[in-house]
Amino acid sequence: MNTTLDKDFWSNRYQAQDTGWDAGSITTPIKAYVDQLEDKHLKILVPGAGNSHEAEYLHQQGFTNVTVIDIVQAPLDNLKSRSPDFPEAHLLQGDFFELAGQYDLIIEQTFFCALNPSLRESYVQKVKSLLKPEGKLVGVLFCNVFLDRTEPPFGATEQQHQEYFLPHFTARHFALCYNSIAPRQDTEWFICLIND
């Protein structure tokens, strides 16, 4: 396994335009969730955001407190070029595991699968610490695919996902997506997990 999934690794992927995880727009499961949110002042974090089509869509829909963090600058610049009025102070280049703050909602979209699997427990604990009480982790996880890979994306089984998350959160939703984009059909699980 490539254990050096660091800033240089990801910078090289963007430089080579090797970004197969990028769907080119917000994907349907997360869009469907966002579209039913009414409070435009929710404090929202999109970690490991890549080109962050999710943050762009949230911004377009009038959400006023959306923060993006990524380990490399290139995708943040890409988001800023698409949404010039996205608040500069909410575009953070840095390490998710060093982030401080409290959020109402954290959106998971291909960040968990990009991390070295050895960091998964740390991811769960960091998400829990960043969420306010009753805050939510919402998004998609690759399930029962991309197993035994040496480079991202790294998958996990349904049971592994349950073992990572369910001891720490209450699951409002934890099931196969019914509305994945075509290339991800039958590979994504939608999660809505409550920090209780």
Side-chain angles (χ1 to χ4, degrees):
M1 177 183 297
N2 184 341
T3 56
T4 57
L5 302 176
D6 56 10
K7 184 177 175 181
D8 289 340
F9 174 86
W10 292 109
S11 292
N12 290 337
R13 292 283 294 260
Y14 281 101
Q15 194 168 13
Q17 297 184 339
D18 184 5
T19 55
W21 64 85
D22 189 336
S25 64
I26 189 171
T27 59
T28 43
I30 294 177
K31 180 181 183 299
Y33 180 82
V34 168
D35 286 347
Q36 54 84 44
L37 294 176
E38 296 179 356
D39 184 355
K40 303 292 187 180
H41 302 293
L42 288 171
K43 192 172 181 187
I44 301 173
L45 175 67
V46 186
N51 286 319
S52 201
H53 303 290
E54 298 73 33
E56 179 182 15
Y57 184 76
L58 285 159
H59 184 66
Q60 290 169 347
Q61 301 309 305
F63 288 86
T64 59
N65 200 353
V66 180
T67 298
V68 175
I69 185 167
D70 201 281
I71 198 169
V72 294
Q73 187 65 38
L76 302 175
D77 292 342
N78 293 342
L79 172 57
K80 189 68 174 174
S81 70
R82 298 191 316 271
S83 293
D85 59 342
F86 196 97
E88 194 77 40
H90 290 195
L91 293 171
L92 307 179
Q93 190 264 309
D95 186 341
F96 164 74
F97 293 100
E98 296 175 4
L99 183 64
Q102 289 276 275
Y103 297 88
D104 299 299
L105 173 62
I106 296 177
I107 293 182
E108 168 55 46
Q109 172 69 287
T110 68
F111 182 45
F112 186 78
C113 72
L115 292 170
N116 187 310
S118 68
L119 294 174
R120 286 175 170 174
E121 292 287 355
S122 298
Y123 167 95
V124 171
Q125 293 302 325
K126 186 63 179 180
V127 165
K128 191 163 181 66
S129 74
L130 289 170
L131 283 173
K132 296 176 182 178
E134 303 303 312
K136 298 174 185 172
L137 172 65
V138 173
V140 292
L141 300 170
F142 286 122
C143 197
N144 302 322
V145 290
F146 305 129
L147 306 175
D148 303 318
R149 284 178 54 93
T150 58
E151 290 204 342
F154 301 109
T157 65
E158 176 185 352
Q159 181 179 344
Q160 286 171 326
H161 285 313
Q162 290 174 346
E163 289 170 356
Y164 288 128
F165 291 101
L166 297 190
H168 307 286
F169 300 93
T170 296
R172 181 169 291 173
H173 196 88
F174 197 98
L176 187 68
C177 286
Y178 69 89
N179 57 351
S180 294
I181 61 174
R184 299 179 184 175
Q185 199 72 41
D186 300 323
T187 67
E188 289 183 316
W189 280 55
F190 187 81
I191 58 170
C192 179
L193 306 177
I194 314 300
N195 186 30
D196 52 7

